[in-house]
Amino acid sequence: MTGQGATAGPAHASTTVPATPAVDPAVDRAVDRAAGQSLNRRVTVDSLWILAGYAVTSGAGFVFWIVAARLVPPAELGLNTAIYSIVTAAAAVAASGVGNALLVMLPVSGGARARLLRLGAGTGMGIATVTGLIAGVLVAVFVAPQGPPVVTVLGVALVTVVWSLFVVKDPVLTALGHARYTLAVNGPVNVAKLGLLPLLVVVAGTSALPVVVASVAPAVLACLLVFGFSLPRLLRRTPDGATRTADRADQSRDEAATASGNGISPVSVSEPETVPETVPETVPEAVPETPRGWLERNRRAFALFVLRDGTANGLYLGVILALPFLVTALAGAEQGAVFALCFQISLVLDLVVIGVGAALATHSAGAETGAPAAAMRVWLQVLAVVTFGAVALIAVAPFLLGALGRFYEGSAGITVIVLLAAGSVLRTSFEIWSATLRARQHTTIVLICTALFAAGLVPLVLVLTPRFGAVGAAAALLVVTVGLGVAGVVGLLRPLLAGRRSAPAVPASVVPVPAETGVRA
C-alpha cells in the first residue's frame, strides 16, 4: 500500500487517504450476522425478565378477576370494568409516548439521564391530567351519571395520573438495564390487589367500585417506592447510558469479528505509509457535552417522539383498552363485563410481544448492524410462542369461563376469546416492526398505521356492538387487525430484501475517511 502526500496550495492543504481494499462480501455478511446474534441474546435476556413480571401479573390478574366475578354481580362488575378500562386507556395514551421515548433515549443520554427522566415524568403527568379529565367527563356522562360530576371527573383524572406513572416505570427500569426489577415491583402489587379486593367488598360493599380501588391503591405505593427511592439510587449506581451503549457496541463488533473467522475487524481504517508534514501531530480533543447541553439539543426530538408515538399509541393501544368501556356504553354493563373478562384472559398473549418489543427497542437503539435480521428472528420466535399460547388458551377457555361463574360460561365468552386470541397472533408482526421503528425514532409511519387502524375500528365497533354485544366488538377488532398484521410483515421483510439486492463496492463495515482535512498551508 502506498500513501500520497499533502498537496499545498494558497488556501489550504489536504491529505488523501488511500482507498481501503474491498472486503469479501461473505465476511461482511458474517459480521452483520454475528452482530445480530449478539443483539438477539441481549433482547432475549431482558425479555425473559419482563415476561417473568408479566407472567406474575397475568397469573395474579386472572385469579383477581375470578374473585371479582364471584363477589361482584355482573351489572356492577361491568360498571367497574368500564371505569377501569377508560382509566387505563387514558393512562396508556399519556404514558406510552413518554415511556417509549425514554426507552430509546435513556440508553444514549449519558450524564443527562436524570434530567431526561424528570422531563419525561413531568411531561407524562401533564398529558395524563388532560386525558384523565377527558376520561372523567366520559365516565360522568355515559357510565356514572348519578354521581357528583365534579368529584367523578377529578377522581378519574387523579387515578389516571397515578396509573400513567405506574406504566412509565417499566420502560424506565428496562432502559436503565434493570428489567429484572419490574418483576420485583409488579409481583407484590398484583398480590396486594388480590388480597385487597375481598376486604373492600366486605367493608364497603360491591357498590363502592372495589375493583378500581383495589387495582389503584397498590399502584400508588409502587410509584412512591420506585420514583421516590429506587430510581434515584439506580441513577447513582448505574453507568451512564452513553458508556453502556459504547460498551455494547464494542462487544458486538468484537463478537462479530471473531465470528467472521479471519481476524478482520469490522471497523477498519487504512493508514498511509507516510504522514504529511502539514498534518498536525495532535488533534484537539472535543469538549465533552454537558448534561444540560445534551438535553437542550435533544429536547425537540424528545417532544416530537412523544407527540407522534403518543398519538399513535392513543389511536392503537388506547382504543383497544377502551373497548370494554365502549361495549358497556353500547350494549350494557353485562356485555361489558363479558368482554372485559375475556379481554383480560387473552391479554396474556399480547403481554408476550409487548415485553419482547420493549427489550428489542431499547437494545436496537444502540445497534448499528444486524438489527433487521435480529428483528425478523425475534418475530418468528414470538409468533411461534403466541400461536402456541393462543391454541392452548382456546383449549382451556371453557374451564376458565366456568371458573368465573355460570353467567360467563353460557354467554358466548368462548367465541370472544377465540376472536381476541386470533387478533393477538396477527398483531405480533406489527408490534415487533413498530419496536424497531421506535428504536430509530421513525415514528411517523407508526402514526399513519395506527390512525388507519382507529379509523377502521371505531365505526365497525359502533355498528357491530349494539347488535352482537361482546362478540361484535371482538369481531371488529379482529377484522381491522388483519391490516396491521400485513403492514408488520411487509415492514420486517423490506430491509432484509433491500440488503440482499444491494451489493456495495465498499462494505458498510469499513469506515470511510474524508479525503480533505482542511489544514491550512
Side-chain angles (χ1 to χ4, degrees), residues 3 20 63 69 84 92 117 124 130 150 161 164 226 231 255 259-260 264 273 290 324 335 341 350 387 405 456 514:
T20 302
V63 177
Y84 178 79
L117 184 56
V130 176
V150 175
V161 172
S164 68
V226 171
L231 283 180
E255 292 176 354
S260 65
I264 297 177
E273 294 180 356
T290 63
Q335 285 296 308
L341 293 177
D350 289 290
T387 301

Side-chain angles (χ1 to χ4, degrees), residues 328-503:
T328 300
L330 297 171
E334 292 185 352
Q335 285 296 308
V338 171
F339 185 89
L341 293 177
C342 293
F343 180 78
Q344 291 297 325
I345 292 173
S346 65
L347 188 61
V348 63
L349 302 175
D350 289 290
L351 292 179
V352 173
V353 66
I354 290 173
V356 175
L360 180 64
T362 191
H363 288 292
S364 296
E368 298 177 359
T369 57
M376 176 58 72
R377 284 195 298 269
V378 168
W379 172 59
L380 293 176
Q381 294 165 359
V382 168
L383 179 63
V385 172
V386 174
T387 301
F388 176 80
V391 173
L393 184 63
I394 293 171
V396 300
F399 303 99
L400 298 178
L401 293 173
L404 297 175
R406 291 184 178 179
F407 173 79
Y408 304 99
E409 189 176 13
S411 57
I414 295 178
T415 304
V416 176
I417 290 179
V418 169
L419 295 173
L420 293 176
S424 297
V425 173
L426 292 176
R427 279 192 296 274
T428 55
S429 60
F430 178 77
E431 291 282 0
I432 298 300
W433 175 52
S434 61
T436 63
L437 293 175
R438 291 186 179 99
R440 302 195 302 271
Q441 300 186 28
H442 296 169
T443 52
T444 301
I445 189 169
V446 180
L447 175 59
I448 294 173
C449 291
T450 55
L452 295 174
F453 169 81
L457 178 60
V458 173
L460 205 55
V461 168
L462 295 177
V463 171
L464 296 180
T465 303
R467 182 174 180 181
F468 300 104
V471 174
L477 180 59
L478 176 61
V479 170
V480 182
T481 299
V482 173
L484 284 183
V486 172
V489 172
V490 173
L492 290 170
L493 286 175
R494 283 186 63 184
L496 294 177
L497 297 177
R500 291 178 181 178
R501 285 195 299 264
S502 61

Side-chain angles (χ1 to χ4, degrees), residues 78-423:
L79 177 65
N80 276 258
T81 56
I83 297 175
Y84 178 79
S85 69
I86 197 65
V87 165
T88 54
V93 172
S96 58
V98 172
N100 287 331
L102 293 174
L103 190 68
V104 300
M105 296 184 74
L106 273 176
V108 296
S109 59
R113 291 175 306 159
R115 293 175 181 269
L116 179 61
L117 184 56
R118 287 195 295 269
L119 174 63
T123 303
M125 293 175 66
I127 299 174
T129 301
V130 176
T131 59
L133 290 173
I134 296 173
V137 171
L138 293 175
V139 170
V141 173
F142 295 104
V143 177
Q146 69 279 4
V150 175
V151 174
T152 300
V153 172
L154 294 180
V156 171
L158 178 61
V159 171
T160 301
V161 172
V162 172
W163 199 260
S164 68
L165 289 175
F166 184 72
V167 172
V168 164
K169 75 177 184 347
D170 286 352
V172 168
L173 290 172
T174 302
L176 293 176
H178 296 285
R180 61 186 183 277
Y181 289 174
T182 60
L183 174 60
V185 176
N186 294 335
V189 166
N190 283 277
V191 173
K193 78 175 187 179
L194 178 59
L196 188 59
L197 177 60
L199 180 63
L200 289 173
V201 172
V202 171
V203 173
T206 59
S207 61
L209 302 177
V211 172
V212 177
V213 175
S215 300
V216 173
V220 174
L221 298 178
C223 290
L224 292 175
L225 174 65
V226 171
F227 288 95
F229 177 74
S230 299
L231 283 180
R233 288 172 60 88
L234 291 177
L235 288 173
R236 290 193 297 267
R237 286 167 41 196
T238 308
D240 65 71
T243 301
R244 291 195 300 111
T245 301
D247 292 343
R248 215 160 52 206
D250 290 341
Q251 179 185 359
S252 296
R253 285 193 289 266
D254 292 343
E255 292 176 354
T258 302
S260 65
N262 55 17
I264 297 177
S265 173
V267 178
S268 59
V269 177
S270 299
E271 297 287 345
E273 294 180 356
T274 59
V275 179
E277 296 180 357
T278 55
V279 178
E281 295 182 359
T282 59
V283 179
E285 294 185 0
V287 179
E289 190 173 30
T290 63
R292 180 187 293 272
W294 187 94
L295 186 61
E296 291 302 321
R297 182 169 57 86
N298 290 278
R299 186 183 296 272
R300 183 174 181 273
F302 177 83
L304 288 175
F305 192 109
V306 171
L307 176 63
R308 293 171 182 168
D309 195 67
T311 305
N313 278 283
L315 296 171
Y316 172 55
L317 188 60
V319 173
I320 292 177
L321 292 176
L323 284 178
F325 173 84
L326 293 175
V327 174
T328 300
L330 297 171
E334 292 185 352
Q335 285 296 308
V338 171
F339 185 89
L341 293 177
C342 293
F343 180 78
Q344 291 297 325
I345 292 173
S346 65
L347 188 61
V348 63
L349 302 175
D350 289 290
L351 292 179
V352 173
V353 66
I354 290 173
V356 175
L360 180 64
T362 191
H363 288 292
S364 296
E368 298 177 359
T369 57
M376 176 58 72
R377 284 195 298 269
V378 168
W379 172 59
L380 293 176
Q381 294 165 359
V382 168
L383 179 63
V385 172
V386 174
T387 301
F388 176 80
V391 173
L393 184 63
I394 293 171
V396 300
F399 303 99
L400 298 178
L401 293 173
L404 297 175
R406 291 184 178 179
F407 173 79
Y408 304 99
E409 189 176 13
S411 57
I414 295 178
T415 304
V416 176
I417 290 179
V418 169
L419 295 173
L420 293 176

